[in-house]
Amino acid sequence: MPKRQNPSTPEHSRGPAADGGALSMSHNGTRSFFTLSQLVLSAGQIKPSPALKHSKITYFEVEIVDVQSKKQICIVDKVPPASTLLDVKHKFHKACPQLYPSRVGLQLERNGPFLKDSVSIQSLAVSSIITLYFTDLGQQVGWTTFFLTEYTGPLLIYLLFYIRLSTIYDQVESRKNFRHPVVHLACFCHCLHYIRHLLETLFVHKFSEGHTPLKNMIKGCAFYWGFTSWIAYYINHPRYTPPSFGHKQVSYAALAFLMCEAGNHFINVALAHQTNSGNRTCFPSPTYNPFTWLFLLVSCPNYTYEAGSWISFTVMTQTLPVGIFAFLMVIQMSLWAQKKHKLYLKRFYPEVRRKAAMIPIIF
């Protein structure tokens, strides 16, 4: 009996297989998309592009106003938060070429102090617009130039009087009169004093930011150069008379002068070492060097030694011009010492409160 064939079998068997394959492919595609999504999420947040990050930086606008007229001079725009006041001054200089950065004084308030160049713009900002008041400080010079000019003059001027130029002294009288040894010693001490100042200006002192008006340098040079001319004229004059107590007075005064010069140098080195090391959390303490032990009594021993040098030079030469100059120097040093002592009291109160400003024992 022939077998009965089912013609529909192939179609039925093929249909479910095809449907199952299609479902399987759809299911595999879903799993692959899910797996890819999990991989992207597990990799962390996608970093924004540099352009997007740059667009989120907040810039400031600095409005510069004249302190007298209150009129706006210019607006320095697109100032980054990390910029300093010196950067603003450079941009201001581009807008006003005649006002170079060291000549520009900027204040946050009309009667407030001048802001330092290192101040961050972000620290001044209350909003995106910052108003600063401008003052023309006049022509400026650097501190190194200031001190080199101020100290070089006395050194050269004194030597011109020491060699007794014919335009200053009578040559016949100069050759006839014998020079006392104190004249040569005074020249050595005077030159040593200013050579020390010049070398310390170049190699010891580290001047911070800032300049000083040119008129201050002119006044300082007039004071030092003028007094040096007066002092040198008397000491190197052919009719100069030696000190009353002779050799002893000269020797002891010269020894005191040299000790004060050495002490002044070592104090300046100690102060410069403290500045260079960046350790300003405590007041400078004395070291094994005996010249630094004066820190135990006064807060400004460099001024004490400076005044001591000129007092010793006065005793050694016994001349009125040196005495007047020494008197004025003591007054000036006292004023500077008092000002610095007040700053030390604010910063190093426990260490400085029992010290004098310049003269030991006088509190």
Side-chain angles (χ1 to χ4, degrees), residues 193 196-197 200 204-205 257-271 291-292 294-295 300-310 333:
H193 178 79
R196 178 184 64 79
H197 273 303
E200 288 178 352
V204 177
H205 297 301
F257 177 87
L258 295 176
M259 291 181 64
C260 288
E261 288 293 302
N264 201 339
H265 172 70
F266 287 120
I267 292 297
N268 288 331
V269 170
L271 293 173
F291 290 103
T292 63
L294 199 56
F295 272 122
C300 302
N302 51 329
Y303 295 145
T304 307
Y305 282 123
E306 182 78 10
S309 293
W310 286 112
M333 295 293 168

